[in-house]
Amino acid sequence: MQKHRVLLVCSGHLFGESMETILRAEADVELIGPWGLGEEVCSRVTEASPSVVLIVDDDSQSEASASLTSAIMEDHPEIPIIRAGLTENVVRVVSTHLLPARGMDLIETIRNLPDAGNPSNERSDINNDTKR
Amino acid sequence: MEKVRVLLADDHALFREGLAGIIASQPDMEVVGEASDGLESLVKAQELKPDLILMDVQMPGMDGLEAIRQIKQALPETSVVMLTVRDDDEKLFEALKNGAQGYLLKEIRSQELLAMLRGAMQGEAALSASLAGRVLVEFRRLSRSRLKRDLTDDEEYMLTEREQQVLLQVSDGATDKEIADALTISLNTVKTHVRNILSKLHVSTRREAAKVAKNKGLV
């Protein structure tokens, strides 16, 4: 079974520990970390080689979360990032896709993007609905 | 071993799910239900009769503060501990007045949370040291307000507002010089006020005056 390598970066508070509990319960998830938000995450990402980075902070839009997201996107655009926090009841999925620089591919991608006003994302593998 | 039966009430589904996993992993606890708002928590509490409810403060519809008030009326034996991101004195005090056994912030670590919950089941207050300190400050403030109200209302004493201020300082053990500095009045004025206070309270010494203030609930 191929496992999803999930790098968990969190503040060390209860929410981060809760996410660790959820991830460890999944057989197809290989958890890397948790690493602290203040640690030098970007410099260690290459070695960790995650398939996704999950950033958990009480405030999902904190400066720490935003800075880390930007830095990872800059250095590792191929790695999707998921941000979760307590201040909102959604998780944010940030990913980068590379397209051939052709008009037809660009237009097709625009047409297939999910509705920005709808938090449910067909393309997201991880969402805020729980499996019971 | 009988497990502590826990109901989780929080509108953040992801947090609630993870917290349920943490609690379920404990040998002495089990999650018997979950609720996503205050009204649902009230309904489930009456249905499941949990030993302990972990309640968020801010929830849609009925918030945690109103929910705990109603739950404690219906189920006085159920312990309710608030678990919130909000470090807010007003909500803290209202939760405690409504019957909360504790008020914890979500920045807490799981080990400390679990220790606090076990303590709560033994009758301890689930409060961090800093929040406990703020509760003490509020308690003293309320005591002083009550003294002021009592002394104002009691015709036998009829202390003026300034005399009340001086009496509070006397109760804290302040010297005349310290009172003068604190209230920005002269030393002679302080001495006059103290004389009047002793007369009105029908006592002879500062110590006796402080005792009267204590009996009125100041200290």
Side-chain angles (χ1 to χ4, degrees):
Chain A
M1 172 175 60
Q2 187 181 5
K3 293 199 175 189
H4 302 281
R5 289 174 58 78
V6 180
L7 168 58
L8 174 61
V9 184
C10 61
S11 58
H13 297 163
L14 188 58
F15 190 32
E17 292 179 284
S18 299
M19 294 304 96
E20 183 180 351
T21 301
I22 289 176
L23 294 170
R24 288 198 189 281
E26 298 300 321
D28 63 338
V29 169
E30 180 183 343
L31 179 63
I32 307 167
W35 295 356
L37 270 170
E39 296 174 16
E40 293 184 355
V41 173
C42 279
S43 60
R44 299 165 61 193
V45 167
T46 304
E47 184 186 336
S49 186
S51 50
V52 60
V53 177
L54 174 57
I55 301 174
V56 177
D57 198 358
D58 290 356
D59 179 2
S60 59
Q61 299 191 63
S62 69
E63 198 173 319
S65 290
S67 298
L68 181 58
T69 300
S70 298
I72 294 175
M73 285 179 68
E74 184 70 30
D75 293 348
H76 304 279
E78 74 286 1
I79 301 177
I81 300 166
I82 298 172
R83 284 166 55 175
L86 293 171
T87 50
E88 53 185 0
N89 239 321
V90 294
V91 294
R92 293 174 182 266
V93 181
V94 181
S95 61
T96 305
H97 301 279
L98 298 179
L99 301 174
R102 295 189 302 212
M104 53 189 265
D105 293 293
L106 174 63
I107 297 301
E108 193 61 26
T109 298
I110 290 171
R111 287 183 179 135
N112 288 331
L113 284 172
D115 180 4
N118 183 359
S120 83
N121 183 341
E122 291 176 1
R123 301 178 64 191
S124 172
D125 292 324
I126 300 174
N127 57 52
N128 206 26
D129 292 328
T130 56
K131 287 190 296 183
R132 296 188 187 276
Chain B
M1 173 178 62
E2 212 167 299
K3 296 188 178 187
V4 174
R5 301 171 70 254
V6 183
L7 170 65
L8 302 179
D10 197 305
D11 64 322
H12 198 294
L14 193 55
F15 173 77
R16 205 173 64 232
E17 183 181 343
L19 183 59
I22 290 175
I23 290 177
S25 70
Q26 301 304 303
D28 57 339
M29 296 183 186
E30 63 174 332
V31 177
V32 298
E34 298 183 29
S36 58
D37 61 55
L39 182 58
E40 189 181 4
S41 71
L42 175 61
V43 169
K44 293 223 169 153
Q46 291 173 318
E47 173 192 326
L48 300 167
K49 294 184 173 44
D51 303 308
L52 172 69
I53 302 174
L54 271 177
M55 175 89 73
D56 190 10
V57 170
Q58 202 79 14
M59 288 188 286
M62 184 190 293
D63 69 10
L65 298 176
E66 176 60 22
I68 179 183
R69 194 183 65 77
Q70 295 197 29
I71 287 171
K72 291 299 289 185
Q73 279 182 352
L75 302 164
E77 297 303 314
T78 299
S79 293
V80 184
V81 173
M82 313 307 287
L83 183 59
T84 175
V85 292
R86 299 185 182 276
D87 184 3
D88 183 320
D89 276 1
E90 202 175 307
K91 292 191 178 357
L92 161 65
F93 302 144
E94 187 174 346
L96 296 179
K97 285 175 195 169
N98 288 353
Q101 187 70 24
Y103 191 100
L104 299 171
L105 301 182
K106 286 179 178 175
E107 63 189 33
I108 197 171
R109 287 183 173 268
S110 62
Q111 288 305 312
E112 189 181 354
L113 169 70
L114 294 166
M116 287 280 191
L117 296 182
R118 291 181 176 111
M121 294 311 301
Q122 302 302 316
E124 297 170 11
L127 285 174
S128 67
S130 67
L131 292 185
R134 281 144 66 176
V135 171
L136 286 178
V137 169
E138 174 67 2
F139 180 77
R140 293 192 67 180
R141 188 191 69 77
L142 289 173
S143 295
R144 289 173 194 267
S145 294
R146 201 179 90 180
L147 170 68
K148 187 175 176 180
R149 197 169 51 246
D150 286 348
L151 293 176
T152 306
D153 293 345
D154 196 323
E155 292 184 358
E156 183 181 350
Y157 296 116
M158 293 294 283
L159 295 178
T160 66
E161 189 173 337
R162 182 60 95 186
E163 287 167 351
Q164 290 166 37
Q165 292 171 351
V166 171
L167 177 58
L168 291 175
Q169 294 283 326
V170 167
S171 300
D172 284 341
T175 63
D176 286 352
K177 176 72 170 64
E178 287 167 342
I179 296 172
D181 290 341
L183 299 181
T184 323
I185 54 180
S186 73
L187 195 55
N188 281 337
T189 302
V190 171
K191 291 180 188 298
T192 301
H193 283 315
V194 171
R195 263 199 314 275
N196 290 340
I197 288 167
L198 296 182
S199 172
K200 288 184 181 180
L201 298 187
H202 309 297
V203 296
S204 309
T205 66
R206 298 162 76 97
R207 182 177 291 183
E208 288 172 327
K211 196 174 174 184
V212 170
K214 183 178 178 180
N215 289 341
K216 287 290 183 177
L218 172 61
V219 295

